[in-house]
Amino acid sequence: MPDFTFLDRAFKAITAETWKRVNEELARYAVKQCEVEVSQIRADTTVIETNIHYPTDSSLLWDSYRVLSRLLRAVRTEAPALCPHRFHDTKAKKDLVYVHRYVRSKAKVRQRSWKRRFRRLHERVCGLERIAASLLKPWRPVRISYCGGLGPS
């Protein structure tokens, strides 16, 4: 899996002239296919400087947990019988904070501890994924699973 430094180097390898030619060719193709009417194109941009964090495995897991629990809570408000589960957002968040805090620690005890907490966070996300998949089972013939791969439902 390429990281951000690889992508950064790849984008820097493409010159401004090349980008200009790519954009012109895409515009010509869109007009040719009648997908875009030139008289209606508007291009306004605003650039705002901001600090971003590059996604880590644990932050992606937390984002998945947060979104899945929010969606499952919405299902529970509409049909409580379909989703009687409890969600432990605070516990998952504590695991995330612990991993972020001690991932660079050199102590063996801390290494074992943050890895255990990371596995627990991963298990929580997989648990929510299983709950969501069981809710979708009646409507989908094939299930795509983050934790288990592709398989029949």
Side-chain angles (χ1 to χ4, degrees):
M1 184 72 179
D3 63 352
F4 70 91
T5 56
F6 170 78
L7 293 174
D8 192 41
R9 284 191 314 244
F11 280 122
K12 285 180 182 176
I14 300 172
T15 65
E17 180 61 31
T18 305
W19 279 119
K20 184 178 178 183
R21 290 178 61 195
V22 167
N23 286 329
E24 288 172 355
E25 188 60 35
L26 284 172
R28 264 191 242 106
Y29 178 77
V31 170
K32 183 176 160 184
Q33 296 295 321
C34 299
E35 297 291 326
V36 176
E37 188 177 327
V38 179
S39 64
Q40 295 180 355
I41 294 176
R42 180 176 174 186
D44 288 340
T45 61
T46 303
V47 177
I48 298 172
E49 184 178 349
T50 183
N51 294 327
I52 62 168
H53 75 89
Y54 293 99
T56 59
D57 290 342
S58 55
S59 67
L60 292 173
L61 280 173
W62 168 246
D63 289 342
S64 301
Y65 184 92
R66 185 177 47 81
V67 170
L68 275 171
S69 66
R70 183 185 69 223
L71 293 173
L72 290 172
R73 278 191 187 91
V75 168
R76 187 171 56 195
T77 58
E78 296 297 320
L82 286 178
C83 190
H85 308 282
R86 295 178 64 192
F87 308 111
H88 302 282
D89 292 355
T90 306
K91 290 180 180 180
K93 181 71 174 189
K94 284 182 180 179
D95 287 341
L96 170 79
V97 169
Y98 191 90
V99 168
H100 279 208
R101 184 173 292 156
Y102 295 114
V103 71
R104 296 186 189 275
S105 175
K106 302 290 186 217
K108 295 286 186 193
V109 173
R110 290 273 194 229
Q111 287 286 315
R112 284 192 302 268
S113 185
W114 78 256
K115 287 177 184 178
R116 185 178 68 246
R117 301 283 284 264
F118 182 86
R119 279 192 296 274
R120 190 163 64 185
L121 178 62
H122 183 260
E123 289 165 5
R124 288 182 195 280
V125 172
C126 288
L128 285 183
E129 187 269 335
R130 284 189 294 275
I131 293 168
S134 70
L135 290 174
L136 293 175
K137 200 174 236 183
W139 294 290
R140 284 179 44 178
V142 175
R143 179 173 78 95
I144 299 173
S145 171
Y146 162 72
C147 299
L150 182 65
S153 56

